[in-house]
Amino acid sequence: MRAAGEGITTMTDSRLGLLESISRRVLWLSTYMLHYANHVRLNPDGTKVGGHPASCASVVNLLTAYYFTAAEPGDFIAIKPHASPVYHAIQYLLGNLEKEKLGQLRQFGGLQAYPSRLRDPDGFHFSTGSVGLGVVAPNFMALVDRYVKDHFGSRAPHRFIALMGDAELDEGNVWEALGEDNLQHLGRILWMIDLNRQSLDRVVPSGRVQKIAEMLRSFGFHTIELKYGRRLESIFQRPGGERLRARIDQMSNEEYQSLLRIEDNAALGERLCGADETLSELLRDADLPALVADLGGHDFVKLAAAFEQARTITDRPVALIAYTVKGWKLPIAGDPGNHSRLLTEQQVDTLRAASGVESGHEFDGFAPESAEAELAAEVHQRLNGKRSAKRAVPRLDIAVPEELGASYAAEVSTQQAFGHVLAELARHPRIRERLVTASPDVAVSTNLGTWIQKAGVYCPEERCDYFEAAHIPVLVHWKQGPAGQHFELGISENNLFLMLGALGLAGDLLDEPLVPVGTIYDSFISRGLDALHYSIYNGARFILAGTPSGISLSTEGALHQSLMPPAFGIESPRLCYYEPCFAREVEWILLEAVRRMLREPDADSVYLRLSTVAQPQGLLPASPELRRKVLEGGYRLVDRAGEPGYQPGENVVNLFTCGALVPLAVQASRQLDEEEMFVNVINVTSPDLLFRGWQRANQARMRGGSTAHPLETLIPPAERHCPVVTVMDGHPHALSFIGSVFGAPTIALGVDSYGQSGTRQELYDHYGIGLAAMQRAA
């Protein structure tokens, strides 16, 4: 590990003074924003608004040094969640945030509690808040930047930066991501690690920083350590100074943090020096509280040197490990319980005086003619080309056909149809160049093989296919190189969703919209659910195919079968869930999703729940309106209305189903006809869209409007009191809402316990979703 700060760069006293003045104002503004929200503005219901002034304080100098000495126009940065007020304060001083916004932190319509790319007005590039995910989001974005350059040509250079707390590195997803081969060889990535030795509840155990540094180096990082400030290092150079360094180096984190809480010079000297007379003599005239807290992460000269060193390293990622004090310059500094502690009114008054801020002018910036304002204006002009995270996304005028004109075999599974449609899209050059797929080591088993054969696997460097070179027959030729359009990831669902999230922001951040398509075994969506929601919240758009799905997978057993993903699909904002049955439906849904992602920047992401069960394609009716109905969420596949003896309220049942169970529902309807029961079968292609439409209509009616919804078009008024049966290969509650739409008696069939191995027929009968169960329910 290399230390920084000696002989790498110099800084004039005037520039150092300016940075220190700016940092004092940043510390004040970030602290007062939280005080104002909690004690001045007040929450109407009296509850604590919250915030983390200690976590802000530890990075004040780190972020001030970055923005005022090292930031470049092409930088994209993720800010650690609890430090967002520091970012807002700096953006305000740079002229990128209106003054009144500072008083609206954590207020409805104001600044969010944690960085939000879509909701905050001053341009976060990455949302953060679920710790660990924002740490590696810039790494995945750097890989996408490399992909875009390889596919669409050279463009302005970018750097990808993450500011994180050391406790964030407890998150396993961080190390999962660094294990990805393609992420280990990327340059122009900078991690700023705020090593304040505290987490939310405790002092971080000793020895972790050494482990962190070793692990980062094992993943190809160049590490720069900023442990001590210049005052401490100058004492280390004196006779006996090596004893002081050894004393501090060897003490535990808990002991060091306890020293930060001792304000009395004599008492601190006794704890630090003990019976060591050499140390006592060395530190006789020192201001020990200030000296003990003199860490590299607060030293502007050391920080500027580290940033300059990091700028010159472009062939691998860089980790700047900056030792800091949590709560630096605040009365709660180093307190192990300071994580969400707020300052008292008296403490704020003391900080106001120390910051040179007059009462009544708490949110003021620097006077226009001041040297600080001139430096801020200079930085603002230099970064003026910085990409806004919320600018207009390019719309591509690419014609996407409504259908491909393909013919399908008599029996085809939706998983097979999915692979076929992607392979066919490879024949359309303008669409193909925007398509990019990703999979966590399940590409072939989720039917991406034909696409990969045509499109190749992405790798920043060309790699030899030794099987092809030796003329050895293989199922799929794994041709890897910069021209490839498939990302093959390791077995990590978190990485899949973070990769899709980065690809889905290529239009927003890099001006090259892509259509990312990811595949995953449906049952394993839950393993990466946090990363999936993070990517959607961050504004990414992509297509996700969960396949195979349900207990229809039969012999594979419970851990490969799925029952909860339909709920995820319905409950996830900005994600549209479809569960088609027929190949043509898959084709229509995929083509419409591709069209929207190319031409409608605000389009939702799409999740298709697919199956390996071959379905009889002859059941799909021929209708000019069918495509529209499929995309809207459902249609009447079997409509018994108008037949002799059809009497709603007497002998009519409406059966709603989706996916693999649709043909069984048709069979049940036919058999019940023999018992003079009329069962209409509604093929629900999207439980999500039906539910959303119903909810929107209810909300409109509550406001005095009257809005129809898709379910009203599926069930005519005369049938709305008829009993309802819903059945799906998933948890029954995903469709159970349908009966309540019209107040009809309902039986909801589905799978509400873990599956087991067996034939489909055995499992359908055991879990009550098969033909016999449908008949009994009707």
Side-chain angles (χ1 to χ4, degrees), residues 122 138 166 181 219 360 396 404 484 555 579 591 612 746:
D122 46 352
D166 51 336
D181 180 59
F219 286 118
L396 297 180
L404 298 172
T555 56
E579 187 159 351
L591 291 174
T612 50
T746 302

Side-chain angles (χ1 to χ4, degrees), residues 78-116:
I79 302 292
K80 78 169 187 172
H82 297 142
S84 61
V86 180
Y87 176 86
H88 293 308
I90 290 174
Q91 296 307 311
Y92 165 62
L93 295 177
L94 290 176
N96 298 325
L97 185 67
E98 297 297 324
K99 182 177 181 178
E100 61 268 19
K101 288 295 183 182
L102 298 180
Q104 298 170 6
L105 179 68
R106 297 185 172 224
Q107 186 178 33
F108 181 74
L111 302 177
Q112 298 301 296
Y114 304 121
S116 173

Side-chain angles (χ1 to χ4, degrees), residues 21-236:
S21 176
I22 290 171
S23 79
R24 283 194 295 272
R25 186 59 56 90
V26 172
L27 176 63
W28 162 255
L29 287 171
S30 59
T31 305
Y32 189 74
M33 286 167 67
L34 293 167
H35 177 77
Y36 183 87
N38 282 276
H39 299 298
V40 180
R41 188 182 73 220
L42 297 179
N43 206 8
D45 63 10
T47 58
K48 178 181 176 181
V49 174
H52 309 85
S55 293
C56 290
S58 65
V59 299
V60 162
N61 279 16
L62 188 55
L63 276 181
T64 300
Y66 163 70
Y67 275 104
F68 288 88
T69 72
E72 298 177 4
D75 288 356
F76 294 108
I77 184 170
I79 302 292
K80 78 169 187 172
H82 297 142
S84 61
V86 180
Y87 176 86
H88 293 308
I90 290 174
Q91 296 307 311
Y92 165 62
L93 295 177
L94 290 176
N96 298 325
L97 185 67
E98 297 297 324
K99 182 177 181 178
E100 61 268 19
K101 288 295 183 182
L102 298 180
Q104 298 170 6
L105 179 68
R106 297 185 172 224
Q107 186 178 33
F108 181 74
L111 302 177
Q112 298 301 296
Y114 304 121
S116 173
R117 198 185 73 83
L118 298 182
R119 295 188 182 277
D120 280 313
D122 46 352
F124 285 112
H125 300 108
F126 303 94
S127 300
T128 56
S130 184
V131 293
L133 297 175
V135 170
V136 293
N139 293 52
F140 283 97
M141 205 68 228
L143 180 57
V144 173
D145 182 57
R146 179 71 177 268
Y147 176 89
V148 166
K149 288 176 180 175
D150 284 337
H151 284 258
F152 301 100
S154 182
R155 57 198 57 242
H158 297 293
R159 291 193 305 174
F160 299 88
I161 301 170
L163 168 66
M164 68 207 71
D166 51 336
E168 270 195 274
L169 299 180
D170 288 345
E171 287 288 350
N173 81 276
V174 173
W175 306 105
E176 280 185 65
L178 295 186
E180 287 295 343
D181 180 59
N182 284 337
L183 291 186
Q184 295 184 28
H185 308 289
L186 294 171
R188 298 188 65 78
I189 292 174
L190 173 62
W191 281 16
M192 298 186 286
I193 301 175
D194 170 29
L195 201 149
N196 57 40
R197 291 182 259 214
Q198 288 183 233
S199 59
L200 276 67
D201 293 329
R202 62 173 184 164
V203 176
V204 172
S206 298
R208 285 196 68 254
V209 62
Q210 291 77 16
K211 294 176 184 176
I212 289 171
E214 291 169 6
M215 291 174 71
L216 288 174
R217 285 195 293 272
S218 74
F219 286 118
F221 275 76
H222 175 87
T223 56
I224 302 172
E225 181 185 273
L226 295 177
K227 187 169 186 179
Y228 298 117
R230 286 167 296 135
R231 283 178 294 175
L232 261 177
E233 287 191 339
S234 68
I235 292 181
F236 293 158

Side-chain angles (χ1 to χ4, degrees), residues 610-631:
L610 306 178
S611 172
T612 50
V613 179
Q615 304 289 11
Q617 301 301 301
L619 290 178
L620 185 71
S623 165
E625 293 291 309
L626 191 60
R627 178 182 177 275
R628 176 183 60 80
K629 293 177 180 178
V630 165
L631 296 177

Side-chain angles (χ1 to χ4, degrees), residues 143 147 150-151 180-182 432 435-444 448-465 468 474-490 499 503:
L143 180 57
Y147 176 89
D150 284 337
H151 284 258
E180 287 295 343
D181 180 59
N182 284 337
R432 171 178 170 161
L435 282 172
V436 54
T437 59
S439 179
D441 202 33
V442 294
V444 175
L448 285 179
T450 305
W451 161 260
I452 293 172
Q453 193 85 356
K454 295 181 178 182
V457 177
Y458 179 74
C459 180
E461 295 84 28
E462 205 75 44
R463 293 185 181 178
C464 177
D465 184 344
E468 185 177 42
V474 292
L475 182 63
V476 177
H477 282 293
W478 213 250
K479 184 178 181 181
Q480 302 179 72
Q485 290 178 250
H486 171 74
F487 284 90
E488 185 69 6
L489 306 167
M499 186 79 250
L503 291 165

